[in-house]
Amino acid sequence: MSLLISQLGLKPDALHGETVIVTGAGGGIGYEAARALLWLGANVVIAEIHQPSGRKAEVALEQEFGKERVLFVATDVGDEASVKNLYTLSVLAFDKVDAVINNATIAVLGEVKDLPIEEWDRSYHVNLRGPVLMARTFLPDMIKRNHGVFACVSSTGTAFLGGYETFKAAQVHLANTLDAELERTNVNAYT
Protein backbone atom coordinates (compact mmCIF):
# COMPACT_ATOMS: atom_id res chain seq x y z
CA MET A 1 0.00 0.00 0.00
CA SER A 2 1.32 3.43 -0.93
CA LEU A 3 2.15 5.81 1.87
CA LEU A 4 0.76 9.35 1.75
CA ILE A 5 4.11 10.65 3.02
CA SER A 6 5.72 9.38 -0.20
CA GLN A 7 3.67 11.98 -2.11
CA LEU A 8 4.82 15.00 -0.06
CA GLY A 9 8.22 15.59 -1.68
CA LEU A 10 10.22 14.28 1.28
CA LYS A 11 13.29 12.16 0.71
CA PRO A 12 12.97 8.52 1.79
CA ASP A 13 16.25 8.71 3.72
CA ALA A 14 15.58 12.04 5.48
CA LEU A 15 15.71 10.38 8.93
CA HIS A 16 18.43 7.82 8.17
CA GLY A 17 20.25 6.90 11.38
CA GLU A 18 17.62 8.42 13.67
CA THR A 19 15.79 6.21 16.17
CA VAL A 20 12.19 6.96 17.09
CA ILE A 21 10.00 5.36 19.74
CA VAL A 22 6.30 5.35 18.94
CA THR A 23 4.08 4.38 21.86
CA GLY A 24 0.85 2.64 21.02
CA ALA A 25 2.21 1.63 17.61
CA GLY A 26 0.43 -1.71 17.53
CA GLY A 27 -2.31 -0.22 15.36
CA GLY A 28 -4.06 2.91 14.17
CA ILE A 29 -2.26 6.25 14.18
CA GLY A 30 0.81 4.84 15.94
CA TYR A 31 1.25 2.05 13.41
CA GLU A 32 0.90 4.44 10.47
CA ALA A 33 3.32 6.89 12.11
CA ALA A 34 5.82 4.04 12.48
CA ARG A 35 5.39 3.15 8.79
CA ALA A 36 5.96 6.76 7.74
CA LEU A 37 9.05 7.05 9.95
CA LEU A 38 10.47 3.84 8.53
CA TRP A 39 9.82 5.11 4.99
CA LEU A 40 11.78 8.24 5.98
CA GLY A 41 14.71 6.00 6.97
CA ALA A 42 14.40 5.99 10.76
CA ASN A 43 14.79 3.00 13.06
CA VAL A 44 11.49 2.50 14.90
CA VAL A 45 10.74 1.03 18.29
CA ILE A 46 7.13 -0.09 18.70
CA ALA A 47 6.21 0.46 22.35
CA GLU A 48 2.91 -1.35 22.77
CA ILE A 49 1.19 -2.84 25.83
CA HIS A 50 -0.90 -5.32 23.83
CA GLN A 51 1.64 -7.98 22.86
CA PRO A 52 -0.30 -9.61 19.99
CA SER A 53 -0.80 -6.20 18.33
CA GLY A 54 2.82 -5.23 18.92
CA ARG A 55 4.13 -8.49 17.44
CA LYS A 56 1.77 -8.25 14.47
CA ALA A 57 2.93 -4.67 13.80
CA GLU A 58 6.57 -5.72 14.13
CA VAL A 59 6.19 -8.56 11.65
CA ALA A 60 4.30 -6.42 9.12
CA LEU A 61 6.82 -3.56 9.36
CA GLU A 62 9.77 -5.96 9.11
CA GLN A 63 8.27 -7.44 5.95
CA GLU A 64 7.83 -3.97 4.47
CA PHE A 65 11.07 -2.31 5.63
CA GLY A 66 13.46 -5.03 6.87
CA LYS A 67 14.18 -6.59 10.27
CA GLU A 68 17.22 -4.50 11.16
CA ARG A 69 15.24 -1.25 11.66
CA VAL A 70 12.20 -2.43 13.65
CA LEU A 71 11.94 -3.46 17.30
CA PHE A 72 8.87 -4.29 19.37
CA VAL A 73 9.08 -3.83 23.13
CA ALA A 74 6.06 -4.74 25.25
CA THR A 75 5.58 -1.55 27.27
CA ASP A 76 3.17 -0.17 29.83
CA VAL A 77 3.94 3.55 29.49
CA GLY A 78 2.45 4.30 32.89
CA ASP A 79 4.78 1.89 34.68
CA GLU A 80 8.24 3.26 35.49
CA ALA A 81 10.03 -0.10 35.36
CA SER A 82 8.44 -0.88 32.00
CA VAL A 83 9.55 2.49 30.57
CA LYS A 84 13.09 1.93 31.87
CA ASN A 85 13.08 -1.50 30.19
CA LEU A 86 11.97 0.21 26.96
CA TYR A 87 14.90 2.62 27.28
CA THR A 88 17.41 -0.18 27.91
CA LEU A 89 16.26 -2.38 25.04
CA SER A 90 16.03 0.55 22.61
CA VAL A 91 19.56 1.71 23.38
CA LEU A 92 20.88 -1.86 23.17
CA ALA A 93 19.33 -2.25 19.73
CA PHE A 94 20.03 1.20 18.23
CA ASP A 95 22.59 2.90 20.54
CA LYS A 96 20.40 5.98 21.13
CA VAL A 97 16.88 7.36 20.93
CA ASP A 98 16.42 10.58 18.96
CA ALA A 99 12.67 11.05 19.25
CA VAL A 100 9.66 9.90 21.23
CA ILE A 101 6.12 10.09 19.93
CA ASN A 102 3.66 9.72 22.80
CA ASN A 103 0.75 8.17 20.96
CA ALA A 104 -0.42 5.48 23.42
CA THR A 105 -3.84 6.20 24.79
CA ILE A 106 -6.82 4.79 26.59
CA ALA A 107 -10.22 6.34 26.04
CA VAL A 108 -12.65 6.28 28.93
CA LEU A 109 -16.11 7.58 28.17
CA GLY A 110 -18.94 8.90 30.33
CA GLU A 111 -20.20 11.93 32.16
CA VAL A 112 -17.79 13.37 34.72
CA LYS A 113 -20.35 12.95 37.50
CA ASP A 114 -20.82 9.26 36.68
CA LEU A 115 -17.39 8.07 35.60
CA PRO A 116 -15.86 5.90 38.34
CA ILE A 117 -12.59 7.19 39.79
CA GLU A 118 -10.95 3.91 38.73
CA GLU A 119 -11.59 4.91 35.09
CA TRP A 120 -10.01 8.32 35.74
CA ASP A 121 -7.01 6.52 37.25
CA ARG A 122 -6.69 4.21 34.23
CA SER A 123 -6.80 7.20 31.90
CA TYR A 124 -4.26 9.17 33.95
CA HIS A 125 -1.91 6.15 33.98
CA VAL A 126 -1.61 6.08 30.18
CA ASN A 127 -2.60 9.56 29.01
CA LEU A 128 -0.52 11.72 31.37
CA ARG A 129 1.67 9.64 33.67
CA GLY A 130 2.97 7.80 30.59
CA PRO A 131 4.27 10.90 28.77
CA VAL A 132 5.78 12.23 32.01
CA LEU A 133 7.66 8.96 32.57
CA MET A 134 8.79 8.97 28.94
CA ALA A 135 10.09 12.53 29.34
CA ARG A 136 11.93 11.73 32.57
CA THR A 137 13.49 8.64 31.00
CA PHE A 138 14.41 9.77 27.48
CA LEU A 139 15.02 13.53 27.67
CA PRO A 140 18.25 13.41 29.73
CA ASP A 141 20.15 11.62 26.92
CA MET A 142 18.64 13.89 24.29
CA ILE A 143 19.74 16.94 26.27
CA LYS A 144 23.21 15.46 26.77
CA ARG A 145 23.54 14.87 23.01
CA ASN A 146 21.82 18.23 22.30
CA HIS A 147 19.55 16.52 19.78
CA GLY A 148 16.01 15.20 19.98
CA VAL A 149 12.26 15.52 19.64
CA PHE A 150 9.56 14.79 22.21
CA ALA A 151 6.05 14.84 20.73
CA CYS A 152 2.66 14.29 22.33
CA VAL A 153 -0.43 13.27 20.37
CA SER A 154 -2.86 15.40 22.35
CA SER A 155 -6.45 16.45 21.90
CA THR A 156 -9.20 18.42 23.56
CA GLY A 157 -12.82 17.45 23.60
CA THR A 158 -16.20 18.03 25.06
CA ALA A 159 -19.04 16.26 26.83
CA PHE A 160 -18.75 12.57 27.72
CA LEU A 161 -15.00 12.56 27.05
CA GLY A 162 -13.77 14.30 30.19
CA GLY A 163 -12.02 11.25 31.62
CA TYR A 164 -10.01 10.99 28.42
CA GLU A 165 -9.65 14.56 27.18
CA THR A 166 -8.64 16.06 30.53
CA PHE A 167 -5.35 14.15 30.44
CA LYS A 168 -4.87 14.45 26.68
CA ALA A 169 -5.28 18.23 27.01
CA ALA A 170 -2.77 18.18 29.87
CA GLN A 171 -0.25 16.83 27.35
CA VAL A 172 -0.43 20.22 25.61
CA HIS A 173 0.70 21.93 28.79
CA LEU A 174 3.34 19.27 29.43
CA ALA A 175 4.82 19.79 25.95
CA ASN A 176 4.69 23.59 26.33
CA THR A 177 6.44 23.33 29.69
CA LEU A 178 9.11 21.04 28.26
CA ASP A 179 9.57 23.30 25.25
CA ALA A 180 10.27 26.25 27.56
CA GLU A 181 12.65 24.19 29.70
CA LEU A 182 14.48 23.01 26.56
CA GLU A 183 14.70 26.48 25.02
CA ARG A 184 18.51 26.69 24.95
CA THR A 185 18.96 23.19 23.49
CA ASN A 186 18.42 21.50 20.16
CA VAL A 187 15.76 19.30 21.74
CA ASN A 188 12.19 20.20 20.82
CA ALA A 189 8.92 19.33 22.50
CA TYR A 190 5.51 19.87 20.96
CA THR A 191 2.02 18.45 20.48
Side-chain angles (χ1 to χ4, degrees):
M1 176 173 28
S2 176
L3 285 164
L4 177 61
I5 199 163
S6 68
Q7 301 169 27
L8 300 178
L10 298 168
K11 294 183 180 183
D13 63 347
L15 295 179
H16 178 76
E18 299 288 302
T19 299
V20 183
I21 292 177
V22 183
T23 67
I29 293 170
Y31 176 78
E32 292 301 329
R35 282 186 75 218
L37 290 160
L38 285 159
W39 185 88
L40 287 167
N43 303 313
V44 172
V45 179
I46 302 162
E48 172 65 50
I49 195 168
H50 187 250
Q51 290 193 26
S53 298
R55 286 273 178 239
K56 183 178 177 183
E58 180 182 42
V59 167
L61 293 172
E62 285 176 348
Q63 289 173 350
E64 189 172 3
F65 298 100
K67 290 186 174 199
E68 66 281 350
R69 294 180 35 229
V70 181
L71 173 67
F72 162 60
V73 179
T75 307
D76 175 351
V77 296
D79 179 80
E80 191 168 13
S82 186
V83 171
K84 287 181 179 180
N85 181 61
L86 172 64
Y87 171 85
T88 299
L89 294 178
S90 298
V91 171
L92 279 173
F94 300 115
D95 296 323
K96 61 186 175 53
V97 173
D98 300 291
V100 170
I101 300 177
N102 292 285
N103 171 71
T105 192
I106 184 171
V108 296
L109 308 173
E111 292 184 48
V112 172
K113 68 180 181 55
D114 297 330
L115 194 64
I117 197 65
E118 294 80 15
E119 291 298 289
W120 285 89
D121 291 343
R122 281 186 344 112
S123 182
Y124 164 76
H125 182 84
V126 175
N127 296 325
L128 186 56
R129 179 183 168 92
V132 169
L133 288 173
M134 295 294 288
R136 291 176 46 82
T137 304
F138 290 94
L139 283 176
D141 279 354
M142 291 181 193
I143 293 166
K144 185 177 181 180
R145 291 184 300 108
N146 201 32
H147 175 79
V149 172
F150 188 85
C152 295
V153 180
S154 63
S155 63
T156 58
T158 186
F160 309 105
L161 295 169
Y164 165 75
E165 296 289 359
T166 298
F167 301 116
K168 293 298 280 183
Q171 288 184 20
V172 174
H173 187 71
L174 173 64
N176 290 343
T177 298
L178 291 171
D179 188 54
E181 292 175 357
L182 297 166
E183 186 175 333
R184 289 178 172 75
T185 72
N186 287 318
V187 180
N188 297 297
Y190 61 90
T191 62

